[in-house]
Amino acid sequence: MTTPDVGTDDEASVTIRCQDNASVGVSFCDRFSFDADSVHYAVELWAPGLTARVNEVVAWIWDSDLTAFLEELAADYRGWDGERSWQTTDQDLTVSAVFRSGGHVGVTWALQPWPQAAGGWGASVTTWLEAGEQMTSLAADVRAFLAEEHQ
């Protein structure tokens, strides 16, 4: 399930919780922009025994868009074979998805800041969502979150 949140400081965020285990989730937050070419934001992952955060994921306007990837997943609510994936240009955020019987999508959110650096780290969680409404809502919430700075 996704939740577009507005905190006490009026900062927009999107929270995605696994429908099978609400203690597993992802949050997009702390969005800012230096110019019209990019949006910067933080991504937080959590699960029992795990909390991970990358403070500055960058979405460039000329790149393949995360929202387009999520919208394609939502449009294919009847399912697909294999795994689909998307990643940022810097490769610090990778999103992959698989379809399982019963109309559910497993979305794995993987963080790996500084992927080329020695001694780096990585973390991932998988959120399970309904293929139809929940995926459509997720795509719309992420689109609104990323687009808000450009308005």
Side-chain angles (χ1 to χ4, degrees):
M1 298 189 312
T2 65
T3 308
D5 296 322
V6 177
T8 56
D9 57 359
D10 239 11
E11 275 296 315
S13 67
V14 175
T15 300
I16 303 108
R17 294 187 193 284
C18 179
Q19 74 170 18
D20 294 349
N21 183 348
S23 66
V24 175
V26 179
S27 181
F28 288 73
C29 56
D30 298 335
R31 183 192 60 239
F32 66 96
S33 186
F34 295 117
D35 54 40
D37 292 334
S38 65
V39 175
H40 302 246
Y41 56 96
V43 178
E44 299 175 344
L45 308 178
W46 68 88
L50 170 72
T51 302
R53 177 181 168 113
V54 172
N55 286 321
E56 195 171 338
V57 174
V58 181
W60 297 97
I61 62 166
W62 57 78
D63 279 341
S64 174
D65 189 357
L66 173 58
T67 56
F69 174 73
L70 295 172
E71 288 168 350
E72 288 172 17
L73 297 178
D76 289 341
Y77 64 91
R78 291 192 173 119
W80 63 86
D81 293 325
E83 181 179 270
R84 295 181 178 180
S85 63
W86 171 91
Q87 66 183 3
T88 59
T89 302
D90 297 333
Q91 301 175 3
D92 49 1
L93 171 63
T94 301
V95 181
S96 57
V98 295
F99 188 87
R100 76 174 176 198
S101 61
H104 293 92
V105 178
V107 182
T108 300
W109 310 86
L111 295 177
Q112 187 178 6
W114 320 288
Q116 308 305 321
W121 61 269
S124 67
V125 299
T126 300
T127 56
W128 287 95
L129 304 169
E130 291 175 7
E133 287 294 319
Q134 288 182 349
M135 286 303 301
T136 300
S137 179
L138 169 59
D141 292 347
V142 170
R143 176 172 295 286
F145 173 78
L146 293 175
E148 193 157 316
E149 279 294 306
H150 293 298
Q151 296 175 357

